[in-house]
Each structure stands twice: as structure tokens, then as C-alpha cells.
Amino acid sequence: MKIGVLTIHGLEFHPNGRLDQAARHRDHHLMLINPYQLVCVLENQGPGIHDCNDAVTNDLPDVVLPRQGSPMGEYGFVILRQFQAMGIPLVNGLEGVTIARHQYITLQSLAAAGIPVPDTCFVTRKALFFDAVDRVGGYPVVVKQPSGMGGDGVFKIDDPTQADTCVNARLDPVKGLLVQRFFPVSGRMDARILVVGGRVAGAMTLSPAPDDFRTNIHRRGRAAAFDPPALWQHMAVAAAKACGLDIAGIDMMGKKSGSPCVVEVNYSPGFRGLEAATGIDIAMEIIDFAVHKAHAASTR
């Protein structure tokens, strides 16, 4: 089976390399699809795809995994819609990718499904920013760009002076900013739970580096295997469903004794840290589900 991965990276990028290993182990072929090297066409015979040399691309995947992350541009959505129109199944689909690439729309979807989220405001004007700080409990607050990954575009703001500097530098009135309640690291537990096909495939706790509040692995966050309580597992699966995702990295946060909330949902989660912490072959989990979805689509 030919499994397409929508990405601008090559096999040297860890998730792509691991997915390629897993695919070859199952005797499948992984195709890396750079959307900016393809041309979508609508002709008499229906939708099609040409490569950058204007040759018709006949070597099409049987299933496609969108893995560009939140920076995916509009053309990525055009390509995904084109694949969908050509009858090629997506893991994850257009609705899920649209929701998960925007952090506030993600929180809206979670809250609408009754899933707890941090107190959050979305603002597009400087005058509204300071009111939002009061609404989420005052300083310190966390400020986030609506689209970001790996902790990029996430800042802790401690006082009005920092806020003024941040707003002047970061607030794009077209894109907006999220202003979110800050939870102190002390007494807090952060977890990443990977959901694949409606079940928990693996989980880890995350601890930030001593000089940071973000727990991302590439920011020197530390990971450990985690056996989530039933409530955490149920909430993670429900969060993926609320966002319309087959595969999702669910970032959760809570007091070490108490109910958690869902902070972020990632439709193209990295899994180097999760594999290292748990020993689970996450790449194989993803490949097996993609093949399952392709087979299910072919029998309809």
C-alpha cells in the first residue's frame, strides 16, 4: 500500500523517518508529498494533480496523512481537498485539521463538547488585551499565537510592562492572540496522551526545564512513561473526537490530585519523546491505522 505524508520535510525529519521504517517493515511504501511541488487541476475528466514539471501524477497514494502542523498554509488545504475529491482517504480529515491548526477554535470545540479547558480570551486589539488579563485571573498569564507548535509563540507575561512590550511586538490584529490563565509549575502535572483511532496508544508526563514553564521536549522538557487514570484517558479520547481527529496528541494539565483540563490538541504530533519514554512503537501504530482506514474506505 502507498501511504502519503503531506509534509515539507524529508526522511531526515524524525517522524517521517520513523514512519518510513514502520511502513517498510509492513511492506508498504511511504510517499512524502510536498504540497508546493504539486499543481491541482480541474479538467473534463475531473480533479487531478500534476507535478512541478506539469506532468500528470499517476502514482497516487492510497491514503494521506496530513503532517504539516499548524503552520500549514492555504495551499495545503487545497491539496487535501483535492485528494478528498479524488476519493483518497485522509488521516486526519479536513474538518479536524482546520480545527486543530487554530488554538482558540480548538478550545471552542472542546468546550462545546463539555471538555474542561483553561480560562482563555481571544483578542485582536491592544485595548482588549488588558481586560482579558483581568478576566483570566490577572498576572502572570500565558500568551499564545493562534497557530504554533513545539512551544513556539508561547510566552509567560508577569506584569503590565511585559504585556505592553509583548502586545506591541506580537499582536497582529488579523490573527489575534490567546490570553490564558497561568498554572504554576509547582503542584501541576502535564501529560501528552496520543490517541489513535479512538483509543489511547501511549502517554507520558512532561516536566519543564528548570528555567522554563513550557514542557516541550525540544525545549529540554523531560518525559516519563505515564499510565493515565481512566478520567484522563476518557477525556483525551473525547477531545480527539470533539476535534474530528483520527490521530491526535492531546496535551493535558491538572493538579496532581484533581481533574485535568485539555490545553492543546495537535493533529500532527511528534513522537520521538513518547517512543523513548514508553518503548511503544508509535510509528507502527500510526501506519497500521492508516492502512486500516484505507482498507475501510476501499470496501465502501
Side-chain angles (χ1 to χ4, degrees):
M1 181 168 290
K2 292 176 286 188
I3 303 168
V5 176
L6 195 71
T7 177
I8 60 172
H9 299 291
L11 291 178
E12 73 285 352
F13 185 55
H14 176 267
N16 293 348
R18 285 288 296 116
L19 291 171
D20 181 61
Q21 290 175 357
R24 285 189 285 108
H25 185 79
R26 292 283 200 247
D27 292 326
H28 302 303
H29 173 59
L30 196 80
M31 303 172 62
L32 300 183
I33 302 169
N34 187 328
Y36 303 108
Q37 295 177 353
L38 299 177
V39 178
C40 293
V41 296
L42 296 172
E43 298 174 325
N44 292 335
Q45 62 268 35
I49 291 179
H50 292 218
D51 65 20
C52 56
N53 296 316
D54 199 33
V56 176
T57 301
N58 294 315
D59 188 23
L60 294 171
D62 298 296
V63 62
V64 171
L65 289 83
R67 288 197 57 89
Q68 275 191 273
S70 56
M72 183 168 73
E74 294 304 315
Y75 195 59
F77 283 97
V78 171
I79 291 285
L80 291 180
R81 188 173 290 277
Q82 194 83 348
F83 282 133
Q84 182 176 270
M86 296 167 70
I88 298 172
L90 304 177
V91 181
N92 297 295
L94 279 166
E95 179 184 6
V97 173
T98 302
I99 291 171
R101 78 187 278 258
H102 193 287
Q103 296 212 30
Y104 194 76
I105 294 175
T106 297
L107 296 178
Q108 285 178 323
S109 301
L110 296 171
I115 298 169
V117 299
D119 294 343
T120 308
C121 294
F122 185 62
V123 300
T124 58
R125 295 293 183 271
K126 182 175 182 178
L128 302 175
F129 182 93
F130 297 97
D131 177 64
V133 171
D134 293 336
R135 288 180 179 274
V136 300
Y139 298 104
V141 296
V142 176
V143 174
K144 297 180 178 181
Q145 303 281 359
S147 296
M149 57 190 303
D152 295 335
V154 179
F155 310 94
K156 177 172 169 277
I157 304 298
D158 292 306
D159 53 52
T161 301
Q162 286 187 0
D164 193 68
T165 301
C166 178
V167 171
N168 289 335
R170 306 285 180 181
L171 180 56
D172 182 333
V174 174
K175 295 182 179 179
L177 282 175
L178 283 75
V179 182
Q180 198 165 76
R181 180 182 292 273
F182 175 75
F183 294 92
V185 173
S186 176
R188 184 183 94 196
M189 185 167 71
D190 296 78
R192 160 65 66 89
I193 299 180
L194 182 72
V195 175
V196 179
R199 64 178 185 84
V200 172
M204 60 183 174
T205 57
L206 294 163
S207 303
D211 56 348
D212 205 341
F213 70 98
R214 294 164 295 186
T215 58
N216 308 87
I217 294 293
H218 82 279
R219 296 185 180 277
R220 298 184 296 122
R222 301 180 304 278
F226 179 44
D227 183 12
L231 174 62
W232 291 62
Q233 293 193 44
H234 174 77
M235 193 177 295
V237 171
K241 182 178 179 181
C243 293
L245 295 173
D246 300 309
I247 296 174
I250 312 297
D251 290 340
M252 302 175 67
M253 180 188 298
K255 293 183 178 180
K256 293 182 179 178
S257 58
S259 298
C261 63
V262 176
V263 182
E264 294 182 12
V265 175
N266 192 323
Y267 79 86
S268 60
F271 47 86
R272 185 199 297 265
L274 185 57
E275 288 192 328
T278 65
I280 298 171
D281 192 336
I282 298 299
M284 193 69 75
E285 294 272 352
I286 293 172
I287 290 297
D288 285 347
F289 179 78
V291 170
H292 167 77
K293 187 160 185 179
H295 282 314
S298 68
T299 58
R300 289 174 189 166

PDB file of all heavy atoms in Angstrom, residues 149-186:
ATOM      1  N   MET A 149       3.639  25.600  17.180  1.00  0.00           N
ATOM      2  CA  MET A 149       3.915  24.214  17.531  1.00  0.00           C
ATOM      3  C   MET A 149       5.206  24.161  18.326  1.00  0.00           C
ATOM      4  O   MET A 149       6.069  25.039  18.207  1.00  0.00           O
ATOM      5  CB  MET A 149       4.007  23.331  16.278  1.00  0.00           C
ATOM      6  CG  MET A 149       5.036  23.751  15.270  1.00  0.00           C
ATOM      7  SD  MET A 149       4.918  22.871  13.698  1.00  0.00           S
ATOM      8  CE  MET A 149       5.076  21.167  14.215  1.00  0.00           C
ATOM      9  N   GLY A 150       5.315  23.152  19.167  1.00  0.00           N
ATOM     10  CA  GLY A 150       6.538  22.953  19.925  1.00  0.00           C
ATOM     11  C   GLY A 150       6.843  24.053  20.921  1.00  0.00           C
ATOM     12  O   GLY A 150       7.992  24.247  21.292  1.00  0.00           O
ATOM     13  N   GLY A 151       5.817  24.785  21.368  1.00  0.00           N
ATOM     14  CA  GLY A 151       6.045  25.862  22.311  1.00  0.00           C
ATOM     15  C   GLY A 151       6.415  27.183  21.670  1.00  0.00           C
ATOM     16  O   GLY A 151       6.589  28.187  22.370  1.00  0.00           O
ATOM     17  N   ASP A 152       6.550  27.206  20.336  1.00  0.00           N
ATOM     18  CA  ASP A 152       6.835  28.456  19.644  1.00  0.00           C
ATOM     19  C   ASP A 152       5.626  29.385  19.758  1.00  0.00           C
ATOM     20  O   ASP A 152       4.483  28.955  19.660  1.00  0.00           O
ATOM     21  CB  ASP A 152       7.154  28.201  18.172  1.00  0.00           C
ATOM     22  CG  ASP A 152       8.430  27.393  17.989  1.00  0.00           C
ATOM     23  OD1 ASP A 152       9.277  27.432  18.883  1.00  0.00           O
ATOM     24  OD2 ASP A 152       8.556  26.713  16.949  1.00  0.00           O
ATOM     25  N   GLY A 153       5.880  30.671  19.954  1.00  0.00           N
ATOM     26  CA  GLY A 153       4.794  31.633  20.040  1.00  0.00           C
ATOM     27  C   GLY A 153       4.029  31.568  21.346  1.00  0.00           C
ATOM     28  O   GLY A 153       2.898  32.039  21.424  1.00  0.00           O
ATOM     29  N   VAL A 154       4.646  30.993  22.404  1.00  0.00           N
ATOM     30  CA  VAL A 154       4.024  30.891  23.724  1.00  0.00           C
ATOM     31  C   VAL A 154       4.892  31.647  24.716  1.00  0.00           C
ATOM     32  O   VAL A 154       6.099  31.386  24.821  1.00  0.00           O
ATOM     33  CB  VAL A 154       3.866  29.423  24.162  1.00  0.00           C
ATOM     34  CG1 VAL A 154       3.232  29.339  25.547  1.00  0.00           C
ATOM     35  CG2 VAL A 154       3.043  28.642  23.151  1.00  0.00           C
ATOM     36  N   PHE A 155       4.291  32.576  25.464  1.00  0.00           N
ATOM     37  CA  PHE A 155       5.052  33.440  26.357  1.00  0.00           C
ATOM     38  C   PHE A 155       4.353  33.565  27.707  1.00  0.00           C
ATOM     39  O   PHE A 155       3.119  33.562  27.781  1.00  0.00           O
ATOM     40  CB  PHE A 155       5.202  34.847  25.751  1.00  0.00           C
ATOM     41  CG  PHE A 155       5.700  34.851  24.335  1.00  0.00           C
ATOM     42  CD1 PHE A 155       4.795  34.880  23.272  1.00  0.00           C
ATOM     43  CD2 PHE A 155       7.046  34.786  24.053  1.00  0.00           C
ATOM     44  CE1 PHE A 155       5.234  34.863  21.964  1.00  0.00           C
ATOM     45  CE2 PHE A 155       7.498  34.769  22.742  1.00  0.00           C
ATOM     46  CZ  PHE A 155       6.593  34.807  21.695  1.00  0.00           C
ATOM     47  N   LYS A 156       5.143  33.700  28.766  1.00  0.00           N
ATOM     48  CA  LYS A 156       4.612  33.992  30.094  1.00  0.00           C
ATOM     49  C   LYS A 156       4.817  35.485  30.355  1.00  0.00           C
ATOM     50  O   LYS A 156       5.925  36.004  30.220  1.00  0.00           O
ATOM     51  CB  LYS A 156       5.328  33.158  31.147  1.00  0.00           C
ATOM     52  CG  LYS A 156       4.898  33.437  32.573  1.00  0.00           C
ATOM     53  CD  LYS A 156       5.541  32.411  33.505  1.00  0.00           C
ATOM     54  CE  LYS A 156       5.368  32.771  34.971  1.00  0.00           C
ATOM     55  NZ  LYS A 156       6.383  33.749  35.422  1.00  0.00           N
ATOM     56  N   ILE A 157       3.725  36.167  30.699  1.00  0.00           N
ATOM     57  CA  ILE A 157       3.758  37.608  30.920  1.00  0.00           C
ATOM     58  C   ILE A 157       3.484  37.865  32.402  1.00  0.00           C
ATOM     59  O   ILE A 157       2.444  37.466  32.924  1.00  0.00           O
ATOM     60  CB  ILE A 157       2.711  38.328  30.042  1.00  0.00           C
ATOM     61  CG1 ILE A 157       2.924  37.974  28.571  1.00  0.00           C
ATOM     62  CG2 ILE A 157       2.760  39.823  30.270  1.00  0.00           C
ATOM     63  CD1 ILE A 157       4.254  38.396  28.008  1.00  0.00           C
ATOM     64  N   ASP A 158       4.434  38.542  33.061  1.00  0.00           N
ATOM     65  CA  ASP A 158       4.360  38.701  34.512  1.00  0.00           C
ATOM     66  C   ASP A 158       3.788  40.028  34.988  1.00  0.00           C
ATOM     67  O   ASP A 158       3.350  40.129  36.133  1.00  0.00           O
ATOM     68  CB  ASP A 158       5.757  38.530  35.119  1.00  0.00           C
ATOM     69  CG  ASP A 158       6.267  37.101  35.000  1.00  0.00           C
ATOM     70  OD1 ASP A 158       5.553  36.193  35.439  1.00  0.00           O
ATOM     71  OD2 ASP A 158       7.375  36.910  34.469  1.00  0.00           O
ATOM     72  N   ASP A 159       3.803  41.060  34.140  1.00  0.00           N
ATOM     73  CA  ASP A 159       3.384  42.370  34.619  1.00  0.00           C
ATOM     74  C   ASP A 159       2.970  43.248  33.434  1.00  0.00           C
ATOM     75  O   ASP A 159       3.200  42.885  32.263  1.00  0.00           O
ATOM     76  CB  ASP A 159       4.515  43.046  35.412  1.00  0.00           C
ATOM     77  CG  ASP A 159       5.830  43.117  34.648  1.00  0.00           C
ATOM     78  OD1 ASP A 159       5.820  43.611  33.488  1.00  0.00           O
ATOM     79  OD2 ASP A 159       6.858  42.684  35.183  1.00  0.00           O
ATOM     80  N   PRO A 160       2.368  44.418  33.704  1.00  0.00           N
ATOM     81  CA  PRO A 160       1.902  45.284  32.613  1.00  0.00           C
ATOM     82  C   PRO A 160       3.000  45.752  31.669  1.00  0.00           C
ATOM     83  O   PRO A 160       2.756  45.939  30.473  1.00  0.00           O
ATOM     84  CB  PRO A 160       1.265  46.465  33.350  1.00  0.00           C
ATOM     85  CG  PRO A 160       0.856  45.906  34.668  1.00  0.00           C
ATOM     86  CD  PRO A 160       1.924  44.910  35.021  1.00  0.00           C
ATOM     87  N   THR A 161       4.221  45.914  32.191  1.00  0.00           N
ATOM     88  CA  THR A 161       5.321  46.353  31.318  1.00  0.00           C
ATOM     89  C   THR A 161       5.647  45.290  30.281  1.00  0.00           C
ATOM     90  O   THR A 161       5.791  45.575  29.089  1.00  0.00           O
ATOM     91  CB  THR A 161       6.569  46.679  32.163  1.00  0.00           C
ATOM     92  OG1 THR A 161       6.258  47.711  33.100  1.00  0.00           O
ATOM     93  CG2 THR A 161       7.718  47.135  31.265  1.00  0.00           C
ATOM     94  N   GLN A 162       5.762  44.041  30.734  1.00  0.00           N
ATOM     95  CA  GLN A 162       5.991  42.940  29.787  1.00  0.00           C
ATOM     96  C   GLN A 162       4.823  42.809  28.817  1.00  0.00           C
ATOM     97  O   GLN A 162       5.009  42.529  27.633  1.00  0.00           O
ATOM     98  CB  GLN A 162       6.179  41.624  30.540  1.00  0.00           C
ATOM     99  CG  GLN A 162       7.506  41.452  31.238  1.00  0.00           C
ATOM    100  CD  GLN A 162       7.661  40.061  31.820  1.00  0.00           C
ATOM    101  OE1 GLN A 162       6.776  39.213  31.701  1.00  0.00           O
ATOM    102  NE2 GLN A 162       8.795  39.820  32.468  1.00  0.00           N
ATOM    103  N   ALA A 163       3.614  42.997  29.342  1.00  0.00           N
ATOM    104  CA  ALA A 163       2.426  42.880  28.491  1.00  0.00           C
ATOM    105  C   ALA A 163       2.463  43.913  27.379  1.00  0.00           C
ATOM    106  O   ALA A 163       2.161  43.612  26.219  1.00  0.00           O
ATOM    107  CB  ALA A 163       1.164  43.040  29.330  1.00  0.00           C
ATOM    108  N   ASP A 164       2.808  45.140  27.721  1.00  0.00           N
ATOM    109  CA  ASP A 164       2.858  46.206  26.723  1.00  0.00           C
ATOM    110  C   ASP A 164       3.874  45.875  25.633  1.00  0.00           C
ATOM    111  O   ASP A 164       3.595  46.036  24.438  1.00  0.00           O
ATOM    112  CB  ASP A 164       3.205  47.530  27.407  1.00  0.00           C
ATOM    113  CG  ASP A 164       2.965  48.727  26.502  1.00  0.00           C
ATOM    114  OD1 ASP A 164       1.793  49.014  26.199  1.00  0.00           O
ATOM    115  OD2 ASP A 164       3.957  49.361  26.087  1.00  0.00           O
ATOM    116  N   THR A 165       5.047  45.399  26.046  1.00  0.00           N
ATOM    117  CA  THR A 165       6.083  45.022  25.072  1.00  0.00           C
ATOM    118  C   THR A 165       5.613  43.877  24.186  1.00  0.00           C
ATOM    119  O   THR A 165       5.790  43.888  22.961  1.00  0.00           O
ATOM    120  CB  THR A 165       7.374  44.618  25.807  1.00  0.00           C
ATOM    121  OG1 THR A 165       7.830  45.707  26.600  1.00  0.00           O
ATOM    122  CG2 THR A 165       8.456  44.221  24.809  1.00  0.00           C
ATOM    123  N   CYS A 166       4.997  42.868  24.814  1.00  0.00           N
ATOM    124  CA  CYS A 166       4.532  41.694  24.064  1.00  0.00           C
ATOM    125  C   CYS A 166       3.456  42.069  23.057  1.00  0.00           C
ATOM    126  O   CYS A 166       3.506  41.648  21.895  1.00  0.00           O
ATOM    127  CB  CYS A 166       4.010  40.636  25.030  1.00  0.00           C
ATOM    128  SG  CYS A 166       3.340  39.154  24.234  1.00  0.00           S
ATOM    129  N   VAL A 167       2.493  42.869  23.501  1.00  0.00           N
ATOM    130  CA  VAL A 167       1.390  43.235  22.608  1.00  0.00           C
ATOM    131  C   VAL A 167       1.904  44.033  21.418  1.00  0.00           C
ATOM    132  O   VAL A 167       1.505  43.807  20.275  1.00  0.00           O
ATOM    133  CB  VAL A 167       0.316  44.020  23.381  1.00  0.00           C
ATOM    134  CG1 VAL A 167      -0.713  44.592  22.423  1.00  0.00           C
ATOM    135  CG2 VAL A 167      -0.374  43.118  24.393  1.00  0.00           C
ATOM    136  N   ASN A 168       2.799  44.977  21.674  1.00  0.00           N
ATOM    137  CA  ASN A 168       3.340  45.803  20.580  1.00  0.00           C
ATOM    138  C   ASN A 168       4.098  44.955  19.566  1.00  0.00           C
ATOM    139  O   ASN A 168       4.074  45.237  18.365  1.00  0.00           O
ATOM    140  CB  ASN A 168       4.256  46.890  21.141  1.00  0.00           C
ATOM    141  CG  ASN A 168       3.492  47.964  21.879  1.00  0.00           C
ATOM    142  OD1 ASN A 168       2.308  48.184  21.619  1.00  0.00           O
ATOM    143  ND2 ASN A 168       4.143  48.634  22.816  1.00  0.00           N
ATOM    144  N   ALA A 169       4.771  43.905  20.048  1.00  0.00           N
ATOM    145  CA  ALA A 169       5.594  43.082  19.161  1.00  0.00           C
ATOM    146  C   ALA A 169       4.838  41.928  18.531  1.00  0.00           C
ATOM    147  O   ALA A 169       5.147  41.513  17.412  1.00  0.00           O
ATOM    148  CB  ALA A 169       6.809  42.549  19.933  1.00  0.00           C
ATOM    149  N   ARG A 170       3.824  41.392  19.245  1.00  0.00           N
ATOM    150  CA  ARG A 170       3.248  40.116  18.831  1.00  0.00           C
ATOM    151  C   ARG A 170       1.811  40.178  18.335  1.00  0.00           C
ATOM    152  O   ARG A 170       1.367  39.246  17.662  1.00  0.00           O
ATOM    153  CB  ARG A 170       3.292  39.132  20.019  1.00  0.00           C
ATOM    154  CG  ARG A 170       4.658  38.956  20.650  1.00  0.00           C
ATOM    155  CD  ARG A 170       5.554  38.121  19.791  1.00  0.00           C
ATOM    156  NE  ARG A 170       6.870  37.948  20.397  1.00  0.00           N
ATOM    157  CZ  ARG A 170       7.872  37.271  19.850  1.00  0.00           C
ATOM    158  NH1 ARG A 170       7.687  36.657  18.693  1.00  0.00           N
ATOM    159  NH2 ARG A 170       9.036  37.172  20.441  1.00  0.00           N
ATOM    160  N   LEU A 171       1.088  41.228  18.694  1.00  0.00           N
ATOM    161  CA  LEU A 171      -0.344  41.227  18.375  1.00  0.00           C
ATOM    162  C   LEU A 171      -0.588  41.671  16.941  1.00  0.00           C
ATOM    163  O   LEU A 171      -0.406  42.839  16.602  1.00  0.00           O
ATOM    164  CB  LEU A 171      -1.110  42.132  19.343  1.00  0.00           C
ATOM    165  CG  LEU A 171      -2.627  42.216  19.097  1.00  0.00           C
ATOM    166  CD1 LEU A 171      -3.267  40.838  19.113  1.00  0.00           C
ATOM    167  CD2 LEU A 171      -3.288  43.124  20.127  1.00  0.00           C
ATOM    168  N   ASP A 172      -0.993  40.737  16.125  1.00  0.00           N
ATOM    169  CA  ASP A 172      -1.414  41.007  14.757  1.00  0.00           C
ATOM    170  C   ASP A 172      -2.931  41.109  14.784  1.00  0.00           C
ATOM    171  O   ASP A 172      -3.609  40.132  15.110  1.00  0.00           O
ATOM    172  CB  ASP A 172      -0.962  39.867  13.843  1.00  0.00           C
ATOM    173  CG  ASP A 172      -1.321  40.074  12.388  1.00  0.00           C
ATOM    174  OD1 ASP A 172      -2.313  40.784  12.110  1.00  0.00           O
ATOM    175  OD2 ASP A 172      -0.637  39.490  11.525  1.00  0.00           O
ATOM    176  N   PRO A 173      -3.500  42.278  14.457  1.00  0.00           N
ATOM    177  CA  PRO A 173      -4.956  42.424  14.561  1.00  0.00           C
ATOM    178  C   PRO A 173      -5.741  41.515  13.621  1.00  0.00           C
ATOM    179  O   PRO A 173      -6.942  41.325  13.810  1.00  0.00           O
ATOM    180  CB  PRO A 173      -5.180  43.901  14.220  1.00  0.00           C
ATOM    181  CG  PRO A 173      -3.963  44.334  13.482  1.00  0.00           C
ATOM    182  CD  PRO A 173      -2.837  43.523  14.031  1.00  0.00           C
ATOM    183  N   VAL A 174      -5.080  40.944  12.629  1.00  0.00           N
ATOM    184  CA  VAL A 174      -5.756  39.993  11.734  1.00  0.00           C
ATOM    185  C   VAL A 174      -5.770  38.592  12.354  1.00  0.00           C
ATOM    186  O   VAL A 174      -6.771  37.876  12.293  1.00  0.00           O
ATOM    187  CB  VAL A 174      -5.078  39.961  10.353  1.00  0.00           C
ATOM    188  CG1 VAL A 174      -5.691  38.882   9.477  1.00  0.00           C
ATOM    189  CG2 VAL A 174      -5.196  41.323   9.675  1.00  0.00           C
ATOM    190  N   LYS A 175      -4.654  38.216  13.005  1.00  0.00           N
ATOM    191  CA  LYS A 175      -4.538  36.861  13.549  1.00  0.00           C
ATOM    192  C   LYS A 175      -4.965  36.771  15.006  1.00  0.00           C
ATOM    193  O   LYS A 175      -5.458  35.743  15.442  1.00  0.00           O
ATOM    194  CB  LYS A 175      -3.092  36.374  13.407  1.00  0.00           C
ATOM    195  CG  LYS A 175      -2.649  36.216  11.958  1.00  0.00           C
ATOM    196  CD  LYS A 175      -1.227  35.697  11.878  1.00  0.00           C
ATOM    197  CE  LYS A 175      -0.786  35.501  10.439  1.00  0.00           C
ATOM    198  NZ  LYS A 175       0.612  35.025  10.353  1.00  0.00           N
ATOM    199  N   GLY A 176      -4.744  37.812  15.797  1.00  0.00           N
ATOM    200  CA  GLY A 176      -5.140  37.800  17.199  1.00  0.00           C
ATOM    201  C   GLY A 176      -4.165  37.055  18.092  1.00  0.00           C
ATOM    202  O   GLY A 176      -3.159  36.484  17.644  1.00  0.00           O
ATOM    203  N   LEU A 177      -4.470  37.065  19.401  1.00  0.00           N
ATOM    204  CA  LEU A 177      -3.678  36.373  20.415  1.00  0.00           C
ATOM    205  C   LEU A 177      -4.606  35.714  21.424  1.00  0.00           C
ATOM    206  O   LEU A 177      -5.695  36.217  21.702  1.00  0.00           O
ATOM    207  CB  LEU A 177      -2.773  37.356  21.177  1.00  0.00           C
ATOM    208  CG  LEU A 177      -1.487  37.861  20.532  1.00  0.00           C
ATOM    209  CD1 LEU A 177      -0.840  38.905  21.435  1.00  0.00           C
ATOM    210  CD2 LEU A 177      -0.513  36.724  20.266  1.00  0.00           C
ATOM    211  N   LEU A 178      -4.143  34.608  21.991  1.00  0.00           N
ATOM    212  CA  LEU A 178      -4.839  33.987  23.109  1.00  0.00           C
ATOM    213  C   LEU A 178      -4.205  34.474  24.408  1.00  0.00           C
ATOM    214  O   LEU A 178      -2.970  34.518  24.520  1.00  0.00           O
ATOM    215  CB  LEU A 178      -4.745  32.466  23.066  1.00  0.00           C
ATOM    216  CG  LEU A 178      -5.652  31.713  22.079  1.00  0.00           C
ATOM    217  CD1 LEU A 178      -5.137  31.845  20.656  1.00  0.00           C
ATOM    218  CD2 LEU A 178      -5.736  30.247  22.476  1.00  0.00           C
ATOM    219  N   VAL A 179      -5.040  34.811  25.377  1.00  0.00           N
ATOM    220  CA  VAL A 179      -4.590  35.161  26.723  1.00  0.00           C
ATOM    221  C   VAL A 179      -5.195  34.118  27.651  1.00  0.00           C
ATOM    222  O   VAL A 179      -6.416  33.957  27.703  1.00  0.00           O
ATOM    223  CB  VAL A 179      -5.047  36.573  27.126  1.00  0.00           C
ATOM    224  CG1 VAL A 179      -4.523  36.931  28.509  1.00  0.00           C
ATOM    225  CG2 VAL A 179      -4.592  37.602  26.091  1.00  0.00           C
ATOM    226  N   GLN A 180      -4.322  33.419  28.386  1.00  0.00           N
ATOM    227  CA  GLN A 180      -4.767  32.228  29.100  1.00  0.00           C
ATOM    228  C   GLN A 180      -4.287  32.253  30.558  1.00  0.00           C
ATOM    229  O   GLN A 180      -3.202  32.768  30.864  1.00  0.00           O
ATOM    230  CB  GLN A 180      -4.196  30.997  28.392  1.00  0.00           C
ATOM    231  CG  GLN A 180      -4.862  29.690  28.696  1.00  0.00           C
ATOM    232  CD  GLN A 180      -4.456  28.637  27.672  1.00  0.00           C
ATOM    233  OE1 GLN A 180      -3.342  28.105  27.730  1.00  0.00           O
ATOM    234  NE2 GLN A 180      -5.342  28.324  26.729  1.00  0.00           N
ATOM    235  N   ARG A 181      -5.117  31.691  31.428  1.00  0.00           N
ATOM    236  CA  ARG A 181      -4.743  31.585  32.840  1.00  0.00           C
ATOM    237  C   ARG A 181      -3.442  30.798  32.974  1.00  0.00           C
ATOM    238  O   ARG A 181      -3.248  29.771  32.316  1.00  0.00           O
ATOM    239  CB  ARG A 181      -5.855  30.900  33.626  1.00  0.00           C
ATOM    240  CG  ARG A 181      -5.550  30.759  35.122  1.00  0.00           C
ATOM    241  CD  ARG A 181      -6.664  30.020  35.829  1.00  0.00           C
ATOM    242  NE  ARG A 181      -7.885  30.801  35.861  1.00  0.00           N
ATOM    243  CZ  ARG A 181      -8.184  31.698  36.798  1.00  0.00           C
ATOM    244  NH1 ARG A 181      -7.323  31.936  37.776  1.00  0.00           N
ATOM    245  NH2 ARG A 181      -9.331  32.345  36.758  1.00  0.00           N
ATOM    246  N   PHE A 182      -2.555  31.272  33.859  1.00  0.00           N
ATOM    247  CA  PHE A 182      -1.287  30.586  34.112  1.00  0.00           C
ATOM    248  C   PHE A 182      -1.430  29.675  35.319  1.00  0.00           C
ATOM    249  O   PHE A 182      -1.968  30.063  36.349  1.00  0.00           O
ATOM    250  CB  PHE A 182      -0.176  31.604  34.374  1.00  0.00           C
ATOM    251  CG  PHE A 182       1.136  30.978  34.761  1.00  0.00           C
ATOM    252  CD1 PHE A 182       1.923  30.354  33.821  1.00  0.00           C
ATOM    253  CD2 PHE A 182       1.573  30.994  36.088  1.00  0.00           C
ATOM    254  CE1 PHE A 182       3.130  29.758  34.180  1.00  0.00           C
ATOM    255  CE2 PHE A 182       2.770  30.414  36.455  1.00  0.00           C
ATOM    256  CZ  PHE A 182       3.556  29.797  35.492  1.00  0.00           C
ATOM    257  N   PHE A 183      -0.949  28.433  35.156  1.00  0.00           N
ATOM    258  CA  PHE A 183      -0.924  27.478  36.259  1.00  0.00           C
ATOM    259  C   PHE A 183       0.524  27.272  36.688  1.00  0.00           C
ATOM    260  O   PHE A 183       1.357  26.857  35.871  1.00  0.00           O
ATOM    261  CB  PHE A 183      -1.526  26.140  35.823  1.00  0.00           C
ATOM    262  CG  PHE A 183      -2.992  26.210  35.503  1.00  0.00           C
ATOM    263  CD1 PHE A 183      -3.429  26.448  34.200  1.00  0.00           C
ATOM    264  CD2 PHE A 183      -3.936  26.045  36.500  1.00  0.00           C
ATOM    265  CE1 PHE A 183      -4.783  26.514  33.904  1.00  0.00           C
ATOM    266  CE2 PHE A 183      -5.297  26.109  36.214  1.00  0.00           C
ATOM    267  CZ  PHE A 183      -5.716  26.343  34.925  1.00  0.00           C
ATOM    268  N   PRO A 184       0.867  27.588  37.934  1.00  0.00           N
ATOM    269  CA  PRO A 184       2.252  27.415  38.385  1.00  0.00           C
ATOM    270  C   PRO A 184       2.738  25.990  38.191  1.00  0.00           C
ATOM    271  O   PRO A 184       1.964  25.024  38.301  1.00  0.00           O
ATOM    272  CB  PRO A 184       2.192  27.790  39.878  1.00  0.00           C
ATOM    273  CG  PRO A 184       0.970  28.625  40.023  1.00  0.00           C
ATOM    274  CD  PRO A 184      -0.006  28.110  38.997  1.00  0.00           C
ATOM    275  N   VAL A 185       4.030  25.856  37.897  1.00  0.00           N
ATOM    276  CA  VAL A 185       4.605  24.533  37.656  1.00  0.00           C
ATOM    277  C   VAL A 185       4.513  23.672  38.910  1.00  0.00           C
ATOM    278  O   VAL A 185       4.237  22.475  38.850  1.00  0.00           O
ATOM    279  CB  VAL A 185       6.066  24.668  37.181  1.00  0.00           C
ATOM    280  CG1 VAL A 185       6.728  23.305  37.085  1.00  0.00           C
ATOM    281  CG2 VAL A 185       6.118  25.391  35.835  1.00  0.00           C
ATOM    282  N   SER A 186       4.733  24.284  40.065  1.00  0.00           N
ATOM    283  CA  SER A 186       4.679  23.542  41.315  1.00  0.00           C
ATOM    284  C   SER A 186       3.275  22.992  41.554  1.00  0.00           C
ATOM    285  O   SER A 186       2.288  23.727  41.510  1.00  0.00           O
ATOM    286  CB  SER A 186       5.080  24.453  42.479  1.00  0.00           C
ATOM    287  OG  SER A 186       4.958  23.783  43.707  1.00  0.00           O
TER     288      SER A 186
END
